[in-house]
């Protein structure tokens, strides 16, 4: 039976979701996009669906279109779309959804809400923190903690957080930054969260959730910093890798179990708070520290690029998983994965993330890509008259698969070499050298504390 599936969003993450869904021959893909992602557009055409370009945060309009197209299941994907209540409008129009409603997605768009929830429900892994809506007390709290992370409460595309020792040289700068965020109302007028700086290695755990059952994916490590050796400003993520099991090389099984448990408890707490089951993908960003795992943030969606790592090895049809999430039958789904590891690297325009250059044409040598074995996913690009142009953000994600992280890295690197334009990428992601540094860093953290 044909399933008319609606996907809202047009990044590389959504391209990967679309590609996975279209592996099920029954799917007719419908997509709402803010710019024409050539990969998603092509999948809509080949699956005999349709796409629409417009405002992807206008839930009412999307729900109307979905009704018209007889959509059987919908997945609004990006954070801003969930924060705009698109899932709520679809639900109101009686369209089945497998993504969280605005009240639950708040865990992502309100950083103070997450911390508050963790304290209220006594969920482990919450760093010391305070929420400020005016300057009073900021100086004292920073003096008390010394090393801090300063975060605007609302959404900033992963670029609003500054941390002592990285973007903030001293407590003077931390205080000034917190006050600047308040004055400029960065991320909205929700204020600023200041929390203790966590030391360790970061990792992502994503899970499919149906409100009762949570099914964890492999842990993935993203690379937030723009430049090699983890230097430069924060970005949406420059690339990510995972191993051929659930545990990254620097983690222990107990780190996985603890993070999974924390996310499960957050899923339950969100139901208690919002009165609705948490249905959708949950994304946990954790720091493995000397004292166990701590929560950096919880998102109500797939990570980008982490989605590419997770979906590339999934053998169970994504459509079956999404259907089970919507029906509350995830416990019956057997998750099967390939043994391969994955490395994803983003090619990004010159000037990213601070000030990308004006759009330029991007050339792709498909024969070269085929030879490399890499796969590509379009992100911030636009297609006009058959030519692909860069946008202002990450352009194309390149995925390499292999028997080991090192092998997958070589494939991804070769794939990056098949894309031309004023683009660059981090060559170090997934290299044996960098993975080894992570392992040694974690050993040092565990030893010294
Ligand atoms: P976020 O936008 O919350 O993901 O934060 C962006 C980045 O800031 C994270 O990926 C971390 O590298 C860093 N970060 C956030 N919170 C903390 C913290 N409490 N301690 C250390 N680093 C942090
Ligand atoms: N890669 C980070 C994120 O999706 O939030």
């Amino acid at each position: 039976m044909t399933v008319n599936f609606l996907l809202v969003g047009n990044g590389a993450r959504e391209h990967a979701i679309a590609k996975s869904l279209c592996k099920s021959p029954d799917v007719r893909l419908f997509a709402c996009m803010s710019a024409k992602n050539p990969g998603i557009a092509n999948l809509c055409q080949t699956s005999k669906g349709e796409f629409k370009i417009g405002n992807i945060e206008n839930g009412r309009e999307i729900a109307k279109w979905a009704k018209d197209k007889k959509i059987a299941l919908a997945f609004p994907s990006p954070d801003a779309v969930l924060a705009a209540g698109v899932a709520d409008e679809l639900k109101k129009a009686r369209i089945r959804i497998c993504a969280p409603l605005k009240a639950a997605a708040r865990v992502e768009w309100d950083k103070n809400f997450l911390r508050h929830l963790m304290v209220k429900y006594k969920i482990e892994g919450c760093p010391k923190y305070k929420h400020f809506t005016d300057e009073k007390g900021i100086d004292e709290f920073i003096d008390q903690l010394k090393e801090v992370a300063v975060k605007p409460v609302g959404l900033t595309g992963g670029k609003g957080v500054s941390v002592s020792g990285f973007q903030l040289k001293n407590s003077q700068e931390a205080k000034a930054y917190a006050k600047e965020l308040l004055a400029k109302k960065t991320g909205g007028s929700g204020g600023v969260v200041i929390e203790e700086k966590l030391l360790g290695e970061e990792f992502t755990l994503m899970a499919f959730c149906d409100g009762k059952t949570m099914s964890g994916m492999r842990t993935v490590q993203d690379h937030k910093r723009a430049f090699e050796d983890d230097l430069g400003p924060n970005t949406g993520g420059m690339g990510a890798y995972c191993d051929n099991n659930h545990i990254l090389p620097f983690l222990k099984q107990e780190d996985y179990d603890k993070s999974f448990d924390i996310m499960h408890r957050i899923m339950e707490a969100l139901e208690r708070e919002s009165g609705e089951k948490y249905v959708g993908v949950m994304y946990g960003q954790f720091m493995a520290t000397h004292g166990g795992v701590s929560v950096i943030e919880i998102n109500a969606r797939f990570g980008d690029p982490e989605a590419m790592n997770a979906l590339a090895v999934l053998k169970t049809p994504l459509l079956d998983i999404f259907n089970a999430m919507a029906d509350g039958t995830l416990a019956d789904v057997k998750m099967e994965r390939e043994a391969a590891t994955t490395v994803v690297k983003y090619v990004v325009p010159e000037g990213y993330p601070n000030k990308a250059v004006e759009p330029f044409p991007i050339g792709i040598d498909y024969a070269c890509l085929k030879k490399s074995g890499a796969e590509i996913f379009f992100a911030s690009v636009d297609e006009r008259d058959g030519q692909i142009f860069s946008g202002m953000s990450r352009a194309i994600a390149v995925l390499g698969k292999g028997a080991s992280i090192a092998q997958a890295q070589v494939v991804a690197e070769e794939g990056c070499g098949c894309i031309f334009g004023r683009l660059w990428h981090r060559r170090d992601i997934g290299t044996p050298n960098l993975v080894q540094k992570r392992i040694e860093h974690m050993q040092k953290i565990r030893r010294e504390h």
Side-chain angles (χ1 to χ4, degrees), residues 111 149 151 161 195-198 202 224 287 296-297:
K111 285 187 159 70
K151 309 180 167 190
V161 176
E195 57 192 36
E196 72 175 296
K197 177 184 173 181
L198 300 163
E202 277 182 66
K224 283 265 185 195
M287 186 79 85
I296 292 178
E297 63 171 352

Side-chain angles (χ1 to χ4, degrees), residues 78-372:
D79 43 2
V81 166
L82 296 169
V86 172
D88 302 57
E89 289 294 338
L90 287 163
K91 189 177 178 205
K92 241 194 262 169
R94 295 178 191 282
I95 289 163
R96 273 168 81 238
I97 47 172
C98 49
L101 300 173
K102 185 174 176 179
R106 184 173 177 194
V107 72
E108 167 159 12
W109 54 263
D110 180 347
K111 285 187 159 70
N112 183 41
F113 174 67
L114 166 68
R115 295 307 186 204
H116 175 74
L117 197 75
M118 293 185 76
V119 171
K120 180 168 172 188
Y121 291 90
K122 299 191 172 58
I123 300 171
E124 274 180 72
C126 185
K128 281 194 208 110
Y129 83 100
K130 260 189 191 169
H131 174 225
F132 297 91
T133 48
D134 58 46
E135 294 188 1
K136 213 168 114 235
I138 286 185
D139 288 0
E140 292 76 4
F141 193 56
I142 291 180
D143 287 336
Q144 187 191 327
L145 291 182
K146 295 189 178 68
E147 298 247 273
V148 290
V150 182
K151 309 180 167 190
V153 161
L155 294 177
T156 53
K159 292 165 208 151
V161 176
S162 286
V163 181
S164 301
F166 298 123
Q167 299 85 2
L168 304 170
K169 280 195 210 70
N170 49 43
S171 59
Q172 235 28 55
E173 280 194 18
K175 291 171 188 172
Y177 184 63
K179 290 171 195 172
E180 183 191 321
L181 290 177
L182 282 176
K184 288 192 181 156
K185 296 192 172 16
T186 308
S189 46
V192 50
V193 166
I194 300 177
E195 57 192 36
E196 72 175 296
K197 177 184 173 181
L198 300 163
L199 287 178
E201 277 296 324
E202 277 182 66
F203 65 95
T204 304
L205 173 61
M206 297 181 291
F208 298 109
C209 310
D210 72 358
K212 298 188 293 273
T213 303
M214 243 179 76
S215 174
M217 300 176 222
R218 289 180 182 166
T219 46
V220 185
Q221 189 173 46
D222 186 16
H223 296 68
K224 283 265 185 195
R225 309 291 295 279
F227 308 134
E228 282 169 27
D229 280 328
D230 297 319
L231 298 173
N234 272 337
T235 67
M238 294 298 291
Y241 66 97
C242 67
D243 212 339
N244 55 8
N245 58 26
H246 276 55
I247 319 288
L248 282 160
F250 55 86
L251 292 180
K252 295 180 178 171
Q253 180 67 42
E254 65 199 60
D255 297 322
Y256 187 93
D257 296 344
K258 183 51 81 186
S259 355
F260 184 87
D261 183 55
I262 288 172
M263 282 169 62
H264 203 276
R265 296 204 48 205
I266 288 174
M267 176 178 81
E268 289 168 348
L270 283 171
E271 182 179 348
R272 303 258 298 266
E273 286 295 296
S274 72
E276 297 268 1
K277 289 211 175 302
Y278 186 94
V279 174
V281 173
M282 191 184 284
Y283 165 114
Q285 180 79 25
F286 294 92
M287 186 79 85
T289 73
H290 68 98
V293 296
S294 290
V295 175
I296 292 178
E297 63 171 352
I298 297 288
N299 295 333
R301 53 169 175 85
F302 277 112
D304 186 350
E306 293 96 325
M308 276 72 90
N309 297 88
L311 294 174
V313 294
L314 198 61
K315 286 210 281 192
T316 306
L318 186 61
L319 180 66
D320 296 0
I321 300 173
F322 277 178
N323 265 320
M325 276 156 53
D327 293 345
T329 55
L330 202 54
D332 303 336
V333 177
K334 187 160 180 276
M335 293 291 171
E336 288 185 294
R337 292 181 177 86
E338 285 176 38
T341 63
T342 52
V343 172
V344 174
K345 300 193 184 209
Y346 254 116
V347 292
V348 301
E350 268 175 29
Y352 176 81
N354 293 333
K355 199 170 178 295
V357 290
E358 286 302 305
F360 54 83
I362 295 179
I364 301 169
D365 181 341
Y366 282 97
C368 166
L369 266 182
K370 194 162 179 222
K371 194 159 158 255
S372 72

